[in-house]
Amino acid sequence: MESNCVDDNVKLCDFVKKEGRILKTVDAVFEDIESFEDCKKLCLDGNFRCHSFDYGDIAEKVCRISHHSMNTLSHIKEPYLDVPSSSTYEITSCFNVTIDCRASEMIVKVKASRNFNGKIYARLNPNSCVNDVTRSLEFELQLGYQDSSCSVSQEEPGKFVSEVVIQNHDQIVTTQDVGLSLRCSYTLKNYTVSSNLELAISGRIPALKEETAVVPAPTVRLRITGRNGEQVASAQVGDPLALRFEIFEKNSPYELFIRELVALDGTDSSEITLIDEHGCPTDQEIMGPALKVNGSGQVLTVPFDAFKFPTSDIVQFKALVTPCLPSCQPAECDMNDNFGLERSFTSFGRRRREADIDQDEMLLIQTIRISDKFETESKTDAFKASEGGGTSIAKSLDNETCSNIVSLFIACGLFLVAQIVLIGAFVYIWGRQKQNKSDNVPSFNPYVNSAFQR
């Protein structure tokens, strides 16, 4: 049984091209359609459920749409006309996508036209922000604004954007997959809230002076620097570096604290947590605690030695930063030092209690290129050796060349001498053999009869 009633307007559909044939009869014909995309839109926005269309095959700028496809025409004999240069486009699957913009996250909800097997994930984080779907018509993906694994960026205050992919295959990306750009916009304005309760006041109340002040949220930036605060664009493994969090406005009353600082490689296949949800370093040998710079809570620095992942020379840092008034209470962290002794230290990255958490947290991201130090050193040593020993190398090559030439002449001379000796010996032996043959031949006198000789 088939239902051709129109449902929600679906615009994300995948079409497959059937070449060399068109339907004999269709449901609707439109003339003077300017483009292929306009014809496709007529099929998607029709007043019945369109399953196939063709464009420009029977005449120029003519669009034909039908509720039939190959699957619904199996019982009809020869429903198609064979036209070599024609094509029919049939819908294989459609997705109806809606976005639910909430206070701390955006949720993308997808309704498929058939059972879907695959996954939906954030385009920049396919491994850490994903929802695997098995034979389902409806599925969704939650992207938290404070979740560093889902790559939701803030274009400007109140506007959040992200990109997701609906992938039909569980492992590979194909042409049937759909990419979506999501956007949630919020109106950030000050509102006066009042009630309808009326209070009757007897007598006159003197007016008091009233002042109202609005403290704007600070602008926080993250930089990768050296230990002295100088900007660093690239580094080698082991270089002393620091992550520097600072409020851009110098007169801002806010201070900062940091939590959930993670490092990711350039391919989104590996990540490591450097500062946990409590604001404490997870490994002192990799990264130290967040410290104030010059006693100011508006600038925090996190020292570390440069490191990289095996799969990439790109290291990306992500951290959640929250401004607080009037000051931030640091975290008390207990860790073992290099001698195995437990010691306590403070880190300005404390996670506040759940009741104190608001939506003012910011996600900061910064990237640096870090190369292997041993590769750089080997190249540098080779370069220095070629510079410092260039003369001696050239001399040794010249001496070696001269020695080879002399040896060649000597070898040629010895070869000629040997040939002459062999030729001389051959002539001498040949002459001796010829002389011996001439001595052994008996003498013959034609005038003497050998019979009378005694």
Side-chain angles (χ1 to χ4, degrees), residues 157-204:
K159 292 186 178 181
F160 298 89
V161 296
S162 183
E163 294 179 347
V164 299
V165 176
I166 303 175
Q167 183 173 305
N168 289 269
H169 195 277
D170 187 56
Q171 295 179 336
I172 60 174
V173 179
T174 64
T175 57
Q176 297 181 359
D177 300 336
V178 178
L180 304 174
S181 179
L182 310 179
R183 185 183 305 271
C184 282
S185 298
Y186 300 86
T187 302
L188 301 180
K189 295 181 180 180
N190 294 325
Y191 294 97
T192 301
V193 180
S194 60
S195 64
N196 295 325
L197 179 62
E198 296 182 359
L199 299 177
I201 301 175
S202 60
R204 181 169 180 154

Side-chain angles (χ1 to χ4, degrees), residues 101 115 146 299 340 428:
C101 298
N115 281 336
Q146 303 172 16
V299 182
Y428 175 77

Side-chain angles (χ1 to χ4, degrees), residues 365-384:
I365 303 174
Q366 191 57 265
T367 303
I368 187 174
R369 182 181 298 275
I370 298 178
S371 60
D372 287 329
K373 193 172 184 64
F374 68 90
E375 293 181 358
T376 307
E377 287 180 350
S378 62
K379 294 178 182 178
T380 304
D381 294 341
F383 177 74
K384 290 182 179 179

Side-chain angles (χ1 to χ4, degrees), residues 20-21 57 83-87:
R21 59 186 180 181
D57 292 326
V83 181
S85 60
S86 64
S87 298

Side-chain angles (χ1 to χ4, degrees), residues 131-152:
N131 179 20
D132 292 308
V133 183
T134 302
R135 296 188 61 81
S136 178
L137 290 174
E138 298 182 7
F139 49 93
E140 65 181 34
L141 179 65
Q142 299 180 359
L143 300 99
Y145 298 149
Q146 303 172 16
D147 189 356
S148 59
S149 63
C150 284
S151 297
V152 179

Side-chain angles (χ1 to χ4, degrees), residues 98-102 105-109 140-143 182 184:
T98 58
I99 304 175
D100 186 5
C101 298
R102 299 186 179 181
E105 64 183 354
M106 64 171 65
I107 303 177
V108 53
K109 300 180 179 180
E140 65 181 34
L141 179 65
Q142 299 180 359
L143 300 99
L182 310 179
C184 282

Side-chain angles (χ1 to χ4, degrees), residues 380-394:
T380 304
D381 294 341
F383 177 74
K384 290 182 179 179
S386 64
E387 284 187 335
T391 304
S392 61
I393 291 174

Side-chain angles (χ1 to χ4, degrees), residues 20-89:
R21 59 186 180 181
I22 58 175
L23 285 171
K24 291 182 178 179
T25 58
V26 294
D27 295 303
V29 178
F30 301 91
E31 297 181 348
D32 297 329
I33 305 303
E34 295 296 332
S35 65
F36 173 84
E37 293 297 328
D38 292 338
C39 184
K40 180 195 294 187
K41 190 173 185 301
L42 288 173
C43 179
L44 295 176
D45 298 341
N47 54 6
F48 61 92
R49 183 175 294 179
C50 174
H51 286 170
S52 65
F53 73 93
D54 60 74
Y55 176 72
D57 292 326
I58 63 171
E60 186 178 358
K61 296 184 179 182
V62 173
C63 174
R64 306 193 312 157
I65 62 176
S66 172
H67 74 282
H68 280 300
S69 65
M70 181 185 298
N71 296 328
T72 61
L73 293 172
S74 58
H75 62 287
I76 300 178
K77 184 178 180 181
E78 297 181 356
Y80 291 97
L81 291 174
D82 294 330
V83 181
S85 60
S86 64
S87 298
T88 297
Y89 299 86

